[in-house]
Amino acid sequence: MEIKIQLLEAIEEANEIASKLQEKKLKNDLRSKLAAACFAVSQQHYNSILLLLSRNPPLQATAFALFHPHIESCIRGLWLSHVASDAEVDKYVSSRTKLDMASMMMKLDAALGLSSHQSIYKYWSALSAYTHTGELQIQRWLKTNDIEPNYTESEVSELIKMSGLFAGLAYRAVLAISLEP
């Protein structure tokens, strides 16, 4: 699929999700509010990725950099809503959580009977390299004699696809903590 078409479809889907989420009434407990805030941040990252890619010229480096926090905010929201103890929720709200992302993913997988942490964590350092101007990010700028972004169409397509999957996951997670279906 051509990137422009894929991007337009993703933007349409993101707008539809945003419209549906705006109308949702959420549970009022601290756990649900914290999780919902994480999912809202994740949705903003997703929309920002799409916005950056739709620019002319596209701002691909920043779009790729946002993928890591997009995933992380979704995982934190899932951890808060499904795994965190009441004490961990209290620690989270007061910025005293010492749990690293790998531990959150493993606890989340154990609680839900999954093994996704291995797949996600396998690519975590690569995601970090894009976010923190690591070698993978910089290598995309040095493929020609000029200093300019040079991301392949398949890399951009994969970013759109994967970020859409996490946006959908965050959307479904918000539905789970909504007062109405």
Side-chain angles (χ1 to χ4, degrees):
M1 177 185 304
E2 187 181 321
I3 291 294
K4 287 183 182 185
I5 294 169
Q6 184 184 11
L7 188 56
L8 288 172
E9 288 175 357
I11 290 169
E12 185 176 315
E13 180 184 13
N15 289 336
E16 186 177 315
I17 288 172
S19 176
K20 288 178 181 178
L21 286 178
Q22 220 168 14
E23 302 166 5
K24 290 291 170 200
K25 301 282 187 242
L26 302 175
K27 296 174 185 173
N28 201 29
D29 62 287
L30 180 60
R31 176 185 304 277
S32 296
K33 287 164 68 173
L34 288 172
C38 288
F39 298 135
V41 169
S42 183
Q43 291 296 338
Q44 283 200 2
H45 288 321
Y46 177 54
N47 280 277
S48 296
I49 288 168
L50 299 177
L51 182 66
L52 291 162
L53 291 175
S54 65
R55 299 268 316 204
N56 189 12
L59 302 175
Q60 298 160 324
T62 307
F64 274 87
L66 280 175
F67 187 53
H68 183 283
H70 172 46
I71 293 171
E72 189 171 318
S73 56
C74 186
I75 290 169
R76 286 185 190 281
L78 291 169
W79 175 79
L80 283 162
S81 60
H82 294 288
V83 178
S85 66
D86 291 341
E88 288 172 318
V89 169
D90 290 339
K91 283 182 180 179
Y92 189 85
V93 77
S94 63
S95 301
R96 293 182 290 125
T97 304
K98 300 291 184 222
L99 208 55
D100 61 285
M101 192 54 52
S103 298
M104 280 186 193
M105 287 189 280
M106 287 189 288
K107 287 184 176 199
L108 189 57
D109 277 356
L112 301 177
L114 303 172
S115 61
S116 63
H117 75 278
Q118 294 170 339
S119 299
I120 294 170
Y121 212 71
K122 178 180 173 183
Y123 299 103
W124 202 251
S125 63
L127 291 171
S128 294
Y130 281 102
T131 301
H132 303 293
T133 319
E135 61 280 352
L136 293 176
Q137 181 74 280
I138 298 306
Q139 288 168 5
R140 290 337 175 251
W141 287 74
L142 301 174
K143 290 187 175 184
T144 66
N145 288 334
D146 297 321
I147 306 295
E148 60 187 5
N150 195 345
Y151 297 82
T152 67
E153 191 167 302
S154 68
E155 289 169 333
V156 174
S157 176
E158 192 68 15
L159 174 62
I160 295 167
K161 176 183 166 189
M162 294 304 295
S163 60
L165 289 173
F166 277 92
L169 180 59
Y171 170 66
R172 287 185 297 284
V174 170
L175 294 180
I177 57 174
S178 295
L179 293 174
E180 78 273 348

